[in-house]
DNA sequence: TTGACTTATGAGAACGCTCTCAATAGGATT
DNA sequence: AATCCTATTGAGAGCGTTCTCATAAGTCAA
């Protein structure tokens, strides 16, 4: 079953040296048409396929890149998709690793990099680091090139591609402020994650920029969860200092909030406006279609691959950070406040 | 940057032959504790990582499997996930190929198999073949092992794992019949795809089994699309011979139908009951939560990997087909017909 | 002390390819 | 006719492992 046909078998059939066959495979220009044809015919006859592993060994590259990320997360699929497509179009195969399994310790994409199976890596690591940890800086010089996704977008020494949370959240806040909302709440996510931290931070910055005071009593950490948002919304609606709008750092929490608002007999957007973040497919279909932020995930994938290819081509090139802009999708869940 | 530290560097530092280092790496039992320690220390000192490519060349396996599938499809993510997890837990890495890009021609997963980059493959190919095409049979003996996903579940000569569409659809039909529905329509998908063909076929078989006549005027090919289902539902509601229930071969079409029903001022399930297939996240959140079929996608991934591993261990073992059972999730979109 | 046997280690081939350098042939130049 | 070029091909080393086989050292019975 296994026993492969090698370059030497082809050479023998074609009556040339194995070197010549290799040249034909690699389209060396100084092979005569005649020998080329002969070799080609032999290859076809034997149904020869080059052994990519052997080639990888001598060339010291495999034409494989790794995508390392939290594949449990729904928002990761579009990125997987676009990375697969654009790496394939450049004749690279893609290996997929989950940060949940192989990559057990926080930083051990190092392992993936050091065993020479892949030429480069795209690393989507959710953990928020206020600045680039020294161990990562050290890694840079020692292992195959890597590009961070949705992280280190403002760190000049890293290669990174991602969605600009600050720009995105600002869109949401500006939208609400333009509708005359002044009491705007936020349900934010786990702040040990990049998105959790940045979206909350961005929210407060955007409020200040708009001249709206930040009110801590309207800020709640919903841990990205439907349930948490649901309960907190019920609680808020009991009190009398309720917000007129809530920005939710992901759509799931917005959906939870909406459920709670309806359960209280109130309505979206008449009583409370809601803005989400992610633009899940669901958000278009739910009862009150959700106004939300659509991150350009496909672009993130495409641009990451581009950047990685550039680095692969010229490993000495200075690091680059590419921050992509999200889009505000206005649907039915936002309106002017009732008062 | 690149220049790796090899087994020979380690050998030199440890003062042994490279062979010995190799033995330590592979946990050969007859190495003395002393030399083992010495080598281990040298490895740690040099920060040595085995070169998996070189190992792959001599061992003729790479510890990598390929998952080939329609990654544009949402329902593919859970499979990706579980395949990644379970292959990782067996020390296999996973390569992901899209049937849309690399694999342009119908059958050229052959390419992936023949270049020796992967030890085995999981192939998720949507095209419906009434029987196994001879070229696939031929492939079996020549390239690395493969397991089909959601295809060839009833072909004794193939290795296959998948969801049993016939069982699944029967659950839906039995549910509707038990509620006293007798005029049951179907929105089915593209019948050149496996699921498209089988679910329609299964639907008719299930009706007959339940003693309900098959009415072609209630059958419509919605091509899996929201829009098509929407329009057809409007059309059906104009006529007077409307169904009391519709089975939709995917949730998306059920959502489209629901939209149309509401637009006509009618209600689900009072006027028409709807059953979907897929159990999308969306289906739980929409206005009338959808009764649907939940395919055990995670299991499909896990079992595929298991089967592939078995084949890898013993390539001569007889082919096996594993048909998994879906589950009926009853929510609010089905009820007894009004009359 | 010797030979047989076991055990721990080393030397070197092999995996299938690419790449460097040498060799050959034919044509142009002197 | 001798020399030099150029264009094409061949021979062989090397990539970093594993694996086979040989070797050296140690153990034990005679």
């Amino acid at each position: 079953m296994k026993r492969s046909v090698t370059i030497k078998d082809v050479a023998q059939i074609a009556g040339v040296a194995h070197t010549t066959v290799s040249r034909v495979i690699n389209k060396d220009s100084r092979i005569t048409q005649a020998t080329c044809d002969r070799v080609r015919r032999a290859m076809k006859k034997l149904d020869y396929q080059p052994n990519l592993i052997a080639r990888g060994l001598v060339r010291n590259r495999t034409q494989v890149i790794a995508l390392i990320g939290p594949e449990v997360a729904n928002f990761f699929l579009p990125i997987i998709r676009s990375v697969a497509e654009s790496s394939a179009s450049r004749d690279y195969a893609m290996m997929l690793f989950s940060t949940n399994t192989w990559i057990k310790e926080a930083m051990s994409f190092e392992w993936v990099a050091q065993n020479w199976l892949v030429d480069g890596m795209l690393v989507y690591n959710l953990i928020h680091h206020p600045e680039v940890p020294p161990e990562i800086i050290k890694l840079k010089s020692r292992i195959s090139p890597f590009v961070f996704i949705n992280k280190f977008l403002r760190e000049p020494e890293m290669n990174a591609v991602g969605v600009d949370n600050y720009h995105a959240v600002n869109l949401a806040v500006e939208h609400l402020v333009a509708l005359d909302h002044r009491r705007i709440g936020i349900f934010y996510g786990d702040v040990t994650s990049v998105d959790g931290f940045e979206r909350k931070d961005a929210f407060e910055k955007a409020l200040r920029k708009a001249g709206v005071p930040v009110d801590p009593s309207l800020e709640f950490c919903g841990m990205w969860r439907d349930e948490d948002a649901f309960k907190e919304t019920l609680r808020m609606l009991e009190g009398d200092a309720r917000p007129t709008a809530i920005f939710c750092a992901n759509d799931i929490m917005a959906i939870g909030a909406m459920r709670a608002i309806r359960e209280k007999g109130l309505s979206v957007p008449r009583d409370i406006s809601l803005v989400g973040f992610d633009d899940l497919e669901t958000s278009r279909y739910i009862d009150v279609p959700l106004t939300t932020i659509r991150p350009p995930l496909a672009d993130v994938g495409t641009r990451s691959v581009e950047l990685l290819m550039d680095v692969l081509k010229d490993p000495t090139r200075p690091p680059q950070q590419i921050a992509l802009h999200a889009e505000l999708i206005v649907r039915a869940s936002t309106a002017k406040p009732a008062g």
Side-chain angles (χ1 to χ4, degrees), chain A:
Chain A
M1 178 155 189
K2 282 276 182 174
R3 169 62 192 145
S4 70
V5 16
T6 78
I7 211 174
K8 284 183 184 164
D9 301 326
V10 176
Q12 185 161 18
I13 296 289
V16 296
H18 71 281
T19 325
T20 307
V21 178
S22 172
R23 286 203 182 93
V24 171
I25 294 169
N26 296 290
K27 306 204 201 310
D28 190 311
S29 56
R30 7 168 255 239
I31 286 293
T32 46
Q33 194 57 47
T35 26
C36 181
D37 288 349
R38 216 138 40 88
V39 171
R40 282 250 145 72
R41 234 173 301 125
M43 295 202 307
K44 185 147 288 177
K45 183 176 168 194
L46 296 181
D47 199 13
Y48 169 79
Q49 288 286 348
N51 181 321
L52 264 37
I53 295 297
R55 175 182 293 170
L57 183 57
V58 34
R59 287 224 180 123
N60 200 24
R61 54 202 175 82
T62 52
Q63 298 287 113
V64 176
I65 64 172
L67 174 57
I68 304 176
E71 64 197 33
V72 286
N74 282 314
F75 53 78
F76 197 44
L77 180 62
I79 295 184
I80 295 177
R81 243 181 239 167
S82 61
V83 167
E85 299 250 331
S86 49
S87 55
S89 72
R90 291 173 162 79
D91 279 320
Y92 272 77
M94 182 188 81
M95 259 163 107
L96 191 60
F97 295 96
S98 169
T99 28
N100 317 303
T101 53
W102 277 59
I103 317 298
K104 277 164 202 136
E105 313 92 289
M107 268 311 112
S108 50
F109 60 85
E110 180 176 11
W111 181 89
V112 178
Q114 288 209 343
N115 57 30
W116 312 102
L117 250 173
V118 302
D119 293 346
M121 301 179 303
L122 303 175
V123 181
Y124 193 161
N125 178 321
L126 294 175
I127 303 162
H128 171 63
H129 286 112
E131 53 197 44
V132 186
E135 63 268 25
I136 293 190
I137 307 256
K138 231 177 60 194
L139 282 181
K140 278 192 59 183
S141 53
R142 292 188 21 254
I143 60 182
S144 47
F146 51 94
V147 169
F148 273 100
I149 295 181
N150 278 356
K151 189 166 175 172
F152 298 141
L153 277 179
R154 286 168 173 77
E155 301 288 349
E157 69 269 56
M158 304 305 288
N159 283 301
V161 175
V163 179
D164 188 335
N165 274 319
Y166 289 88
H167 169 266
V169 172
N170 198 54
L171 288 178
V173 171
E174 275 181 351
H175 171 63
L176 290 173
V177 169
L179 289 170
D180 288 335
H181 287 277
R182 287 296 175 277
R183 290 191 52 75
I184 307 176
I186 178 175
F187 290 174
Y188 58 93
D190 169 21
V191 289
T192 64
S193 73
V194 181
D195 291 334
F197 176 86
E198 288 192 351
R199 291 179 194 169
K200 173 168 190 283
D201 190 40
F203 175 75
E204 294 172 352
K205 288 209 168 78
L207 279 192
R208 285 199 199 92
K209 191 176 134 203
V212 176
V214 174
D215 181 348
S217 76
L218 299 179
E219 296 186 331
F220 173 72
C221 176
M223 293 303 281
W224 311 117
R225 284 194 293 251
D226 173 80
E227 256 330 274
D228 293 23
F230 178 79
K231 285 183 190 145
E232 173 67 10
T233 308
L234 289 183
R235 207 194 54 76
M236 275 186 172
L237 295 178
E238 310 269 278
D240 37 302
R242 67 166 75 143
T244 62
I246 304 175
F247 165 67
C248 300
N250 72 349
D251 281 4
I252 296 288
M253 291 193 291
I255 291 170
M258 197 178 290
R259 206 154 47 86
I261 292 167
R262 259 209 305 259
E263 191 151 312
K264 278 286 178 184
L266 300 176
S267 114
V268 176
R270 213 192 49 228
D271 299 300
I272 294 193
S273 285
L274 287 176
V275 180
F277 197 119
D278 278 346
D279 191 26
L280 297 184
E281 192 178 56
T282 304
S283 309
R284 209 172 53 234
Y285 290 123
I286 50 175
D287 192 9
V288 178
L290 188 66
T291 294
T292 189
I293 301 287
R294 177 189 295 166
L297 297 180
D299 290 353
V300 169
T302 312
R303 300 296 296 274
S304 317
V305 173
E306 275 174 18
L307 181 52
L308 183 57
M309 293 295 143
D310 289 344
V311 177
L312 248 32
K313 213 170 292 165
D314 172 19
T316 65
R317 88 201 286 284
Q320 189 180 348
Q321 301 82 40
I322 302 176
L324 300 173
H325 281 182
E327 187 184 355
L328 177 72
I329 307 292
V330 179
R331 298 207 186 92
S333 70
T334 45
K336 283 186 179 291

